[in-house]
Amino acid sequence: MVGDSASGDAHEQALFLSAALEAERERLATVQNSIRRVLAMPNLRSGLAEMSRALRAVGWREIIVTLLDEEGQPRTRLVGGEPVPVDAGTPVLPSGLWSRFQDGALESCRVGGTYVVERHCAAEVVGEERAPVVFAPLNVGFGSPVGVIQVIGETGDEHFSPDLLRPLDILAAQAAYMVENTRLLARASQSAEALEEQVEELSMIHRADRELSAHLNLERVMRLTMDWALRRTEADTGLLMLMTDDGTGLVPYIVMGHVDRALFPHDAHNPLPLTAGTIGLAGRFGATQYVPDAQEDAERIPFIPGARAHVSVPLRMRGEVLGVITLAAVKSGVFDEDVVAFLERLGRRAAVALDNARLYRQTEQLASDMAALYNAGRTITSTLNRDEILRRIARAMSETLECSSAVIFDYKPETQEVQVLAVHRADPDATAGESLPPLKHTYPLASYPAFQTVVEQQHSLALRADDLSLTYTDRAHLLTGHLHSMVLVPLVAQEELMGVAALIEGRYPRVFTANEVYKAEALAGQAAIALRQSLLFSEIQELETLKTEMIRMASHDLRNPLNNIMGYTELLAMSLEESGVTIAQRMYLENLRSSSETMRVLLEDLLTLERIESERMTEWQSFDLASLVVEVVESQLAGAKLKQQVLSLERGDEALAVQGSITHLRQAIANLVSNAIKYTPEGGHIVVSVSQEQGRVAVSVKDDGYGISPARQARIFERFYRAREPGTEHVSGTGLGLSLVKTVVERHEGRVWFSSIPGEGSVFGFWLPATPRLRGGGA
Ligand code: ADP
């Protein structure tokens, strides 16, 4: 029965189909579950192991998963979910099939996303009969595969049904995305790390900026920064070098990690020349020097033995190179473009910080230079003694420039020589160093070309023993004297050359900077003026002595002839009286008498002044000024009485002790009282008072006399000045009285004062410091 058989077939078919469907559903479920589990797996390896289990569950006997690196070489292999070792020689697929696949030669074997290289296919492609190879490349996008899953069937020679191949296809795609995701994740986590690094970098910079603005401690901040750069980059050595002021070399500022000091002996006195290695190049050209692997290039950073990688980044600011940051590592390849970029970023920040600090330092330096110059100048000018000034100049110069010694020379134009006037050695105990000339030693300019230039052109000159452009003679002088460097500065005041200062460095080869020479010149200017002043002063002193001597001699020499004149005038008067004197003769005699008297007083006053000025303080004593005032007033009572004046005294009972010369103070008080009598009309009143207040003893003489007009008041203490107010024309005097008072009082550390109203009267007074010993007892 056809129908029956047909219906029976149909039934069988239906049963078969439903079983197949069921099996397919089961496989799909396996695959789906597997995928679900794979996705839940913590990492790629366990994901791939789970996938291998699923493939085995759908009917494959062995599963080999090979993951490839960026170069397409096997990196990881799992056999049955278990990792097995791979090395460079491990083939991706047997029999060179992988390269055939890459060439596109296996396209005829492709079933969907899988490749089935069966026996005959293999013979065709590989040229030999062999067991079939089934694999699925792990493809992502259009790039080359990230791996491959190779499967082996249950028997050696089966026909591979789509039911077996489809799960492989699906799981291979899944695996490819898993690998890709893992890579992306790795990259993402890498970029998270990069992000973190950036955050760290930013916070570091922020911290450095904050520290810098808070303390301006550049060194500390730079040290922090370098330390951090070292840790971040796996560098072994970090160097931060600063450009010298003259821009010809680099001086280490921060040195971290390993540096061979013997090969790198650089410091402020011995900068690294810009011709040296990568660091020098970076400093000279202001461009980053990057050597990732210095196998054959190691001499470029010779001071870090075995350094294989190095980066030198210039610190530039406004087109100027301020310094160079260098990182070096013994391991090659630890520095990549990222490190270079990082260091350049760091360099930019460091340059800003350096520039700020430099500006700040320059301002500070300027202020302290000014202060130092001012102080040095003041020290030099605070004396008028020439030898002392010379010693101070030498010391101030060597201290200001921090050089090992300074010598001051006198210039003798007549003989064309310079002579040593002062020598200062900064460290007198220094064993090594320069030999300095003895005092008074002279040098003929003709054999010292440098001195000759300085003297002739009156500008300073810096000389160095290692400067080959120097004249042979100059160099020879420096070398024999063990002088590494010397600056010669002319001492010029008002276009007159007072001498030459030599600033010497005998400790190490030193380049005196332009700024240092400038400082020396500034000081030399002040020194020259001080020297000139001391010369003028000694000239004035000589004149003063001469004048005093002349006055003294004249006074003494005039006194005897004057006494003769006065004596013979009296004899003449007596004999004329006897022979009967005419009215005219009596007038002549009176004139003779009064003129000689004026001369006598003048001579006496001059001699008194001279005595006061030359008297030594050792002759002083402590005495009661009040008693002295009483004594003087008593001695002047007769004079006052002659003019019908009332002379009175106001004083307390206590003794008022002062320290000084009784004779001179007696004279001073007498001058004030006699002036009051002289410049007060008949019948006037004069009050003398003496008192003590606030550690001072005060004397005043008040009269109701002619007074002095304001226009003349300013000059009355001048020698020989006489005010000649109306009514005082007949009053005789020398104009020396008040100047004597002032001299005496000021020598006693007191002050004179007065006030006067024309027509009403004057008050003259002075005070002296009271003697402390008696002050308490007297009060
Ligand atoms: P002289 O020898 O002229 O008195 P002084 O030096 O003592 O010289 O005084 C200077 C001038 O000061 C006097 O010439 C006089 O004009 C003025 N003078 C000094 N004391 C008085 C006084 N008590 N009253 C007014 N004028 C005075």
Side-chain angles (χ1 to χ4, degrees):
M1 210 174 74
V2 171
D4 278 80
S5 106
S7 73
D9 278 0
H11 179 71
E12 259 185 53
Q13 195 119 24
L15 276 177
F16 174 72
L17 274 174
S18 92
L21 264 173
E22 191 54 46
E24 180 69 356
R25 202 178 291 131
E26 245 179 64
R27 265 187 219 103
L28 279 175
T30 310
V31 172
Q32 268 173 352
N33 282 333
S34 164
I35 288 172
R36 216 171 287 134
R37 276 198 298 276
V38 165
L39 287 175
M41 285 296 161
N43 57 43
L44 181 63
R45 188 160 299 169
S46 41
L48 292 175
E50 173 58 32
M51 200 177 286
S52 306
R53 268 196 296 280
L55 284 172
R56 195 158 320 146
V58 295
W60 295 102
R61 184 165 58 86
E62 193 58 90
I63 296 99
I64 303 158
V65 183
T66 307
L67 299 184
L68 307 175
D69 61 18
E70 317 270 14
E71 271 87 47
Q73 295 303 311
R75 181 165 52 107
T76 316
R77 175 164 288 174
L78 300 175
V79 176
E82 289 302 314
V84 294
V86 281
D87 54 55
T90 308
V92 182
L93 290 174
S95 310
L97 280 176
W98 187 243
S99 59
R100 312 291 342 211
F101 155 74
Q102 285 176 309
D103 292 343
L106 299 183
E107 278 316 289
S108 58
C109 311
R110 187 163 70 87
V111 183
T114 60
Y115 291 78
V116 182
V117 186
E118 291 182 55
R119 211 172 281 277
H120 69 274
C121 183
E124 195 181 299
V125 174
V126 191
E128 64 169 342
E129 292 243 331
R130 47 150 304 133
V133 178
V134 180
F135 69 89
L138 309 184
N139 286 312
V140 181
F142 298 104
S144 47
V146 293
V148 59
I149 301 178
Q150 185 196 345
V151 286
I152 297 166
E154 285 295 342
T155 63
D157 197 8
E158 63 267 77
H159 173 77
F160 301 106
S161 71
D163 305 334
L164 275 174
L165 294 177
R166 204 177 306 121
L168 176 61
D169 202 349
I170 295 169
L171 286 170
Q174 183 60 36
Y177 280 107
M178 260 168 58
V179 173
E180 174 65 359
N181 278 346
T182 311
R183 282 196 181 170
L184 282 175
L185 209 73
R187 218 170 291 158
S189 70
Q190 251 177 27
S191 59
E193 241 168 60
L195 204 69
E196 221 169 82
E197 267 181 9
Q198 271 172 18
V199 169
E200 194 195 335
E201 200 175 310
L202 278 174
S203 75
M204 188 70 200
I205 284 168
H206 186 64
R207 197 171 128 207
D209 282 353
R210 225 179 29 226
E211 286 251 356
L212 203 61
S213 52
H215 312 292
L216 276 162
N217 189 340
L218 183 68
E219 200 201 314
R220 192 181 126 82
V221 172
M222 288 299 157
R223 193 165 285 283
L224 270 172
T225 315
M226 288 299 284
D227 177 60
W228 169 63
L230 236 63
R231 275 185 287 117
R232 213 199 117 161
T233 59
E234 290 181 68
D236 301 297
T237 305
L239 271 179
L240 180 82
M241 303 190 70
L242 299 183
M243 191 68 83
T244 53
D245 287 345
D246 58 2
T248 59
L250 291 159
V251 175
Y253 186 55
I254 310 271
V255 179
M256 291 194 127
H258 183 50
V259 168
D260 191 329
R261 278 300 187 178
L263 297 171
F264 189 72
H266 301 289
D267 58 20
H269 304 308
N270 178 22
L272 177 84
L274 293 190
T275 44
T278 24
I279 300 181
L281 275 179
R284 188 145 44 118
F285 299 115
T288 298
Q289 303 295 315
Y290 170 42
V291 181
D293 188 350
Q295 289 287 2
E296 65 290 337
D297 218 6
E299 80 283 354
R300 292 173 72 186
I301 35 166
F303 49 90
I304 307 165
R308 284 282 166 267
H310 55 96
V311 191
S312 285
V313 168
L315 308 178
R316 294 172 48 146
M317 199 69 203
R318 291 187 284 270
E320 198 189 328
V321 179
L322 307 180
V324 174
I325 294 190
T326 300
L327 293 181
V330 170
K331 217 159 76 183
S332 72
V334 293
F335 297 160
D336 53 13
E337 271 85 16
D338 282 351
V339 170
V340 176
F342 157 73
L343 205 60
E344 283 179 336
R345 278 198 301 280
L346 197 71
R348 280 194 288 276
R349 297 303 303 185
V352 173
L354 268 178
D355 195 50
N356 280 345
R358 191 180 62 158
L359 285 178
Y360 178 79
R361 210 175 45 229
Q362 275 174 354
T363 322
E364 286 271 277
Q365 185 65 42
L366 205 68
S368 88
D369 279 0
M370 295 284 283
L373 281 179
Y374 172 75
N375 283 333
R378 216 178 45 179
T379 321
I380 293 171
T381 48
S382 65
T383 175
L384 281 165
N385 179 304
R386 185 156 179 264
D387 290 340
E388 185 56 33
I389 288 178
L390 288 165
R391 273 195 295 275
R392 289 183 188 188
I393 294 173
R395 197 181 59 217
M397 286 203 153
S398 108
E399 280 172 4
T400 311
L401 265 74
E402 289 173 5
C403 58
S404 61
S405 53
V407 180
I408 309 297
F409 296 88
D410 188 18
Y411 167 56
K412 297 184 178 303
E414 330 77 50
T415 53
Q416 285 296 302
E417 284 174 336
V418 286
Q419 184 182 32
V420 179
L421 290 184
V423 177
H424 178 83
R425 203 188 264 276
D427 178 10
D429 304 327
T431 43
E434 65 274 27
S435 53
L436 297 174
L439 285 177
K440 303 271 179 238
H441 192 80
T442 56
Y443 296 94
L445 284 183
S447 31
Y448 290 82
F451 272 94
Q452 183 132 30
T453 313
V454 171
V455 164
E456 278 170 7
Q457 304 182 358
Q458 300 201 352
H459 68 58
S460 26
L461 209 61
L463 314 159
R464 274 183 296 124
D466 57 10
D467 179 359
L468 298 174
S469 68
L470 226 55
T471 66
Y472 171 78
T473 329
D474 282 330
R475 252 192 108 210
H477 288 317
L478 290 177
L479 290 171
T480 45
H482 304 286
L483 319 178
H484 287 292
S485 324
M486 173 162 79
V487 180
L488 295 178
V489 190
L491 303 173
V492 183
Q494 287 159 344
E495 291 175 18
E496 189 188 338
L497 185 70
M498 311 296 298
V500 176
L503 301 161
I504 293 161
E505 190 50 80
R507 294 167 296 192
Y508 49 83
R510 170 173 175 179
V511 180
F512 283 99
T513 63
N515 188 40
E516 285 172 328
V517 174
Y518 171 74
K519 271 200 275 185
E521 283 171 351
L523 208 52
Q526 296 191 59
I529 289 171
L531 271 180
R532 204 185 144 74
Q533 271 174 352
S534 84
L535 271 182
L536 289 178
F537 178 74
S538 58
E539 275 169 23
I540 289 170
Q541 252 184 337
E542 270 170 34
L543 280 176
E544 193 72 26
T545 326
L546 202 69
K547 190 188 76 180
T548 313
E549 186 63 15
M550 272 179 66
I551 290 173
R552 206 176 58 83
M553 274 165 54
S555 315
H556 276 284
D557 293 354
L558 283 175
R559 202 148 61 162
N560 289 336
L562 183 65
N563 281 341
N564 275 345
I565 292 171
M566 290 175 87
Y568 283 108
T569 306
E570 289 316 309
L571 277 177
L572 199 63
M574 272 159 67
S575 54
L576 277 176
E577 286 297 340
E578 280 165 15
S579 59
V581 63
T582 65
I583 298 179
Q585 282 172 333
R586 180 159 291 146
M587 210 183 75
Y588 300 154
L589 274 175
E590 260 325 296
N591 273 342
L592 209 54
R593 275 201 188 107
S594 82
S595 294
S596 336
E597 177 61 16
T598 306
M599 273 178 80
R600 190 191 63 79
V601 174
L602 183 67
L603 285 181
E604 283 311 313
D605 281 356
L606 275 174
L607 284 170
T608 312
L609 262 177
E610 192 263 317
R611 272 201 303 275
I612 291 167
E613 278 163 5
S614 60
E615 194 191 61
R616 288 190 308 262
M617 308 238 288
T618 45
E619 290 161 19
W620 285 13
Q621 50 185 296
S622 183
F623 65 94
D624 174 18
L625 190 72
S627 309
L628 188 68
V629 172
V630 174
E631 184 196 312
V632 172
V633 168
E634 279 169 357
S635 72
Q636 303 268 344
L637 277 173
K641 208 171 175 186
L642 271 176
K643 292 181 80 178
Q644 289 94 44
Q645 293 166 338
V646 182
L647 172 61
S648 57
L649 173 68
E650 285 179 356
R651 61 160 293 203
D653 296 331
E654 74 275 18
L656 306 175
V658 293
Q659 180 85 21
S661 156
I662 299 178
T663 344
H664 296 158
L665 284 169
R666 183 191 285 120
Q667 178 84 53
I669 300 163
N671 282 4
L672 290 183
V673 179
S674 71
N675 274 355
I677 297 170
K678 276 191 334 192
Y679 299 105
T680 299
E682 295 194 349
H685 300 80
I686 295 148
V687 183
V688 181
S689 70
V690 55
S691 62
Q692 172 170 329
E693 52 186 43
Q694 293 167 348
R696 294 168 172 182
V697 177
V699 175
S700 72
V701 181
K702 184 178 187 305
D703 63 55
D704 51 2
Y706 302 107
I708 309 155
S709 58
R712 299 192 177 99
Q713 288 183 4
R715 299 190 58 191
I716 54 166
F717 287 103
E718 280 178 22
R719 278 189 190 190
F720 304 109
Y721 183 78
R722 307 201 64 215
R724 299 190 201 282
E725 292 294 325
T728 67
E729 296 89 350
H730 62 283
V731 182
S732 65
T734 59
L736 285 171
L738 284 182
S739 94
L740 181 141
V741 174
K742 190 169 188 282
T743 308
V744 170
V745 169
E746 287 179 356
R747 265 184 74 89
H748 285 78
E749 285 170 10
R751 288 288 172 274
V752 288
W753 59 271
F754 78 99
S755 74
S756 183
I757 299 170
E760 287 186 25
S762 318
V763 198
F764 280 84
F766 66 86
W767 59 258
L768 301 177
T771 306
R773 184 170 55 82
L774 293 178
R775 204 188 295 162

